Each structure stands twice: as structure tokens, then as C-alpha cells.
Amino acid sequence: MKNTQTILDIHDKPTAGKLTTLSIQHMFAMFGATILVPQLVGLSPAIALLTSGIATLIFLFVTKFQVPAYLGSSFAFIVPIIAATENGGIGSAMIGSLFVALVYFIVSIVIWKTGYKWIMNLLPPIVVAPVIIVIGLALSPVAIDMAMNITVDGVSQYSMKHFSAALVTLAAAVVATLFFKGIISLMPVLIGIIVGYLYSLMIGIVDFSTVLSAKLFSTPDFLIPGIHYEFAITPTLLGLMVPIAIVTISEHIGHQLVLGKIVNRNYIKDPGLHRSLLGDGLGTLISGLVGGPPKTTYGENIGVLAITRVYSVYVIGGAAILAILFSFLGKMMALISTIPTAVLGGISILLFGIIASSGLRMLVDNNIDFGNKRNLVISSIILVIGIGGAKLHFSDTFELEGMALAAIIGVVLNLVLPGRQKELSDPFEITTTKS
């Protein structure tokens, strides 16, 4: 059923000029966040762009070109990737993302065979929201350290000059979010980075040496298992990465619901949640195989759809192709690598805070009653275990800690504590109306 206010519907094909313009708009909406994740965890921004484009094209194909969603780098895996890298190198983190993809495959198969209601009973807001809060707050020391400190001769030192760049970056992102409308308000990350970069140029903390020596076109830095790195699959690695799928699957479901309401369709039923989860999982699988971060559908691009009322999958596909092309621009990728750590830290302060706040918003939107002792107990335990860094050390090769442990405990508590609502009403029923 087509919304009368729709400018371009799902399968409407724009002219070549409009297609290019609208696709560039979507690419810039995801650009800042997608390249920020690899910068934070030590991966290649070029690979992140390349794999985001490939993952999006795979997602469109798997969902039968019915769901106009863009897949970018997932923030939920920043801490697990850093921890996995410290335990066994960056290759271990990539192998961990492959097992995350396996979880997506398994869940999509089960949903295909049994339906989708069970997953919302397993992952209600009282479990997922506190875990999202943990993800944001656990990242906060990383953001502050990047914003305030520089490393000199292996020693971290406070730098007011660099901190000023972080604050300018943060201020620019806040201004773009609050005082602008339309597309500008959807790209605070990109705008903040650009303004922070220009300020960094003024105060002299940008090093252009890598840009001058970079080639105009170059192949992204692939990380292929067995070729570019050796790896070992350990229980600890799986414990660090796999439980975060609890959060990203919930995020995926939320995005599908919001997207469905925007375009006036029920994507949970057609093409089906199992297909969209499978597309997300395949995107993460391909990304992990070549050295990119795990993928997730992007709220920024859903926001662009809502504002422009252009829902065409051709536009989303065009943005994906542009991202792939950009990843081979050596000068552009070298320029991205010159972004000062302080600038990334400044934008991270806002982004990581928004992650935590989105967990709070989920609690509010779902009318979670903290007068109910059961809700109070579950959320309290998840928050303290996740932020406090609790750890279950089973052996030298197997331990669960932090947000992964918090996510698992949250699911278990919800299942075993008395007072759980036995069967939720269909959470995916969407009432559609003509505008």
C-alpha cells in the first residue's frame, strides 16, 4: 500500500541525475559513523566502506529488494573487538565476527521454521535496554582518553590543545543536531568531524605526510584468515563476541519495525524477519572474512528515508556502490587516516552517550515500571555487572566478562525470575493508514 505522500516508492527508479544525488546523500549520512568504528578498533576505514557497500547489496538481494536499509559498522562490537584483539590479535576479532554471523543464521532459520514471537519473549526491553546502556557507558573511558590525552614516547599525557579540538568537534555535532533541520541534522557525526578537522588544521595537530605519499587509487587493506593472520578459536573469544548478538538482533528488529512504519509495510512478515536477519548476518560474515567490522542496519539512513520520503531501493543500492568506489580512493582514505585522535574522541563523547541514552529511551518508550521489583532487580544487576567489569574465569582459555556476561545474565534472570509475562501480544502488528 503506497503512502500518498511518497515521492519515490520502494521500486520506483529515479533518473540518473536524481539517483546520483540521492545516493550521495545516503552515503554521507552513514559515512562518519561507518569510518569511525574501524578508526577506534584499529581496522582499515577503506575496508569498512567497502564491506558496508557489499553488505548492503547482499542485504537488498536477500530481502528480495523490498527493504531499503543500509548496513554500516556496528558500535556494539567496539569493546569486544578491542578485548579480542588484546587477547589474540585483530585476527581473533575477525574470527569472532564470523561466529556472530553464525548466530544470525541460526536465529533466522529458527524464526523461518517457528515464527518470530518467541524472540521478543526471550529479548524483552527490560533485558535489552540495560545492556545497551552498558555498551554506551563502557565505552565512555575510551572516548575521554582519546579526547584529552596524547601518547608521547609511549606515555599518555594530558593535552589542552588536543582537548580543545575534541570540544570544538563535540560542539559542532551538537549544533548540527539541535539547530539544523532536514538532512543536516541527520549527519552530526560527519559535520562534527569536518569542523573538528578544520580546527585541528588551524592549531597544527594534523600530519599530512601520509596523504602526500599515498596513491590516488589503492586497494583496501584486506585481512583474510589463514593468509594475513593466524588465528585460534577459543571459548573466551566466543564469550567476548557472540553474546553481543543479543543486542544487535534486538536493534535489527527495532529498525525493521521503524522502517516498516515509515514506508507503510510490515517487513517482519514480508519478506520476513528471517530474511532480513539472514541478510544482516551474511553482511557481517563477508565483512569478517576480509577484515571489516560487524554490520548493522543504520538509523541515520532510516532517518534520511523519513525526511526525503524517497524509499527507492535503487537509491540505497546506489549509495552502496558509491561506498565501494570510495574505498579504492587512496588519497581519500589517507586523508581520513589523518583525522586527529582528539577529533574522534570528541565525536565519540556524543555517540557513546547517545548509545546509552537510547537504552534509557527504550525503557521509557516501552513504559517499563521500576516500581515493579522484578524490573528493578534485572536492570540493576545488568548495569553493575556490565559497567563494573565482572568476570567469570573458568580456565585460561575461557572466561566471560563485562557486557557479554551482563547480556547472558539478563536473559537468564528474565527467564527464571517469577512474574514474567508468559506470552506477549504480537509486537510486530503494524496498523497502516493512508495519508
Side-chain angles (χ1 to χ4, degrees):
M1 183 161 34
K2 184 173 178 177
N3 190 314
T4 56
Q5 292 185 344
T6 299
I7 294 176
L8 286 174
D9 205 19
I10 303 299
H11 296 119
D12 291 343
K13 190 174 182 179
T15 62
K18 284 186 177 179
L19 176 62
T20 302
T21 302
L22 294 169
S23 295
I24 289 173
Q25 190 169 251
H26 268 286
M27 190 188 73
F28 279 122
M30 67 82 191
F31 195 88
T34 293
I35 65 169
L36 178 60
V37 173
Q39 293 278 75
L40 295 176
V41 300
L43 293 172
S44 164
I47 281 291
L49 274 181
L50 175 66
T51 53
S52 76
I54 293 173
T56 300
L57 294 177
I58 291 172
F59 181 87
L60 292 175
F61 178 78
V62 172
T63 56
K64 302 189 291 187
F65 297 95
Q66 294 185 38
V67 185
Y70 194 94
L71 272 61
S73 306
S74 174
F75 279 82
F77 289 94
I78 291 175
V79 170
I81 289 176
I82 292 173
T85 301
E86 291 173 350
N87 278 273
I90 193 66
S92 294
M94 295 299 95
I95 296 300
S97 69
L98 302 184
F99 280 89
V100 170
L102 179 61
V103 173
Y104 274 77
F105 298 159
I106 294 171
V107 172
S108 65
I109 290 172
V110 174
I111 291 174
W112 177 42
K113 292 296 185 181
T114 66
Y116 50 74
K117 291 184 180 180
W118 64 271
I119 195 166
M120 285 304 289
N121 285 283
L122 184 67
L123 302 174
I126 188 56
V127 172
V128 176
V131 174
I132 292 174
I133 294 171
V134 165
I135 290 174
L137 295 183
L139 287 167
S140 58
V142 176
I144 297 301
D145 180 68
M146 292 173 65
M148 291 197 315
N149 301 323
I150 60 172
T151 302
V152 179
D153 297 328
V155 179
S156 181
Q157 298 179 2
Y158 175 81
S159 171
M160 184 61 200
K161 179 186 286 189
H162 287 76
F163 193 31
S164 70
L167 294 177
V168 168
T169 303
L170 176 60
V174 170
V175 169
T177 301
L178 298 181
F179 298 100
F180 286 85
K181 295 182 179 180
I183 298 300
I184 297 297
S185 67
L186 291 171
M187 297 188 289
V189 175
L190 184 63
I191 291 169
I193 289 175
I194 291 173
V195 173
Y197 191 85
L198 293 175
Y199 176 80
S200 299
L201 285 173
M202 292 170 54
I203 63 175
I205 61 172
V206 179
D207 180 8
F208 278 114
S209 58
T210 56
V211 180
L212 297 175
S213 61
K215 297 179 180 178
L216 183 59
F217 299 100
S218 64
T219 304
D221 297 325
F222 291 97
L223 283 174
I224 300 174
I227 297 178
H228 297 113
Y229 62 84
E230 298 298 323
F231 61 89
I233 301 172
T234 66
T236 294
L237 170 63
L238 301 182
L240 286 170
M241 298 286 290
V242 171
I244 308 304
I246 293 173
V247 178
T248 52
I249 288 174
S250 300
E251 179 185 38
H252 175 96
I253 293 170
H255 283 168
Q256 292 301 97
L257 287 171
V258 171
L259 183 58
K261 289 179 181 178
I262 290 172
V263 304
N264 212 30
R265 287 167 171 82
N266 191 334
Y267 285 134
I268 303 301
K269 292 184 177 179
D270 185 23
L273 182 60
H274 62 287
R275 279 187 172 272
S276 61
L277 273 174
L278 179 61
D280 208 336
L282 281 172
T284 294
L285 175 69
I286 297 300
S287 184
L289 283 173
V290 297
K295 301 304 179 205
T296 185
T297 47
Y298 257 28
E300 293 92 331
N301 295 88
I302 294 174
V304 172
L305 293 174
I307 285 180
T308 62
R309 302 198 303 277
V310 173
Y311 311 141
S312 173
V313 292
Y314 291 100
V315 173
I316 298 294
I321 292 171
L322 285 174
I324 293 171
L325 294 176
F326 260 68
S327 70
F328 288 90
L329 298 178
K331 290 285 188 184
M332 172 69 72
M333 293 299 106
L335 186 64
I336 290 172
S337 70
T338 66
I339 299 173
T341 301
V343 170
L344 299 177
I347 202 66
S348 296
I349 291 173
L350 178 62
L351 277 176
F352 299 162
I354 287 176
I355 292 172
S357 298
S358 67
L360 293 172
R361 179 177 178 178
M362 181 181 288
L363 293 172
V364 173
D365 289 347
N366 287 276
N367 299 313
I368 301 299
D369 179 16
F370 280 99
N372 182 324
K373 293 181 180 179
R374 183 179 190 276
N375 292 337
L376 189 64
V377 166
I378 293 174
S379 60
S380 299
I381 292 174
I382 291 174
L383 289 171
V384 173
I385 286 178
I387 298 172
K391 178 188 299 185
L392 288 179
H393 184 83
F394 298 98
S395 69
D396 290 339
T397 58
F398 182 35
E399 60 182 32
L400 284 171
E401 61 180 310
M403 65 180 69
L405 179 60
I408 293 173
I409 288 179
V411 170
V412 172
L413 287 175
N414 179 63
L415 293 175
V416 302
L417 291 181
R420 180 170 71 98
Q421 190 173 348
K422 296 301 181 183
E423 184 67 33
L424 295 177
S425 59
D426 190 344
F428 301 119
E429 196 62 45
I430 300 175
T431 302
T432 56
T433 56
K434 282 188 176 182
S435 300

